[in-house]
């Protein structure tokens, strides 16, 4: 039986993502999202953050969930 790990979704808050999968921080930093520690990033969804930073959400989700 294969256990499916919780996939990171665009609706999840950055803070929640980093608590569940801390290694994602490196991917986000490399993509140019340098404000991971700011208070708004803790509540902001991944989708909102990518819009603010002009990133492609689908490409980022693929990299995060690999």
């Amino acid at each position: 039986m294969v256990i499916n790990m919780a996939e990171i979704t665009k609706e999840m808050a950055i803070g929640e993502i980093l608590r569940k999968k801390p290694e994602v921080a490196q991917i986000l930093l490399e993509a140019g999202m340098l404000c991971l520690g700011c208070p708004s990033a803790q509540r902001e969804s991944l989708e909102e953050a990518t819009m603010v930073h002009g990133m492609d959400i689908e490409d980022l989700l693929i990299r995060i969930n690999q």
Side-chain angles (χ1 to χ4, degrees), residues 3-57:
I3 298 172
N4 188 7
M5 298 283 293
E7 183 176 304
I8 302 301
T9 66
K10 62 185 176 184
E11 294 83 11
M12 294 172 74
I14 300 291
E16 178 185 3
I17 292 168
L18 295 176
R19 285 188 296 280
K20 287 185 176 211
K21 201 172 174 183
E23 63 273 17
V24 169
Q26 187 62 39
I27 296 168
L28 296 176
L29 290 170
E30 289 172 1
M33 202 174 290
L34 305 176
C35 57
L36 299 180
C38 75
S40 63
Q42 297 305 304
R43 294 181 311 270
E44 188 173 50
S45 73
L46 184 60
E47 183 173 39
E48 291 167 332
T50 56
M51 285 190 295
V52 168
H53 292 280
M55 298 175 180
D56 180 342
I57 183 66

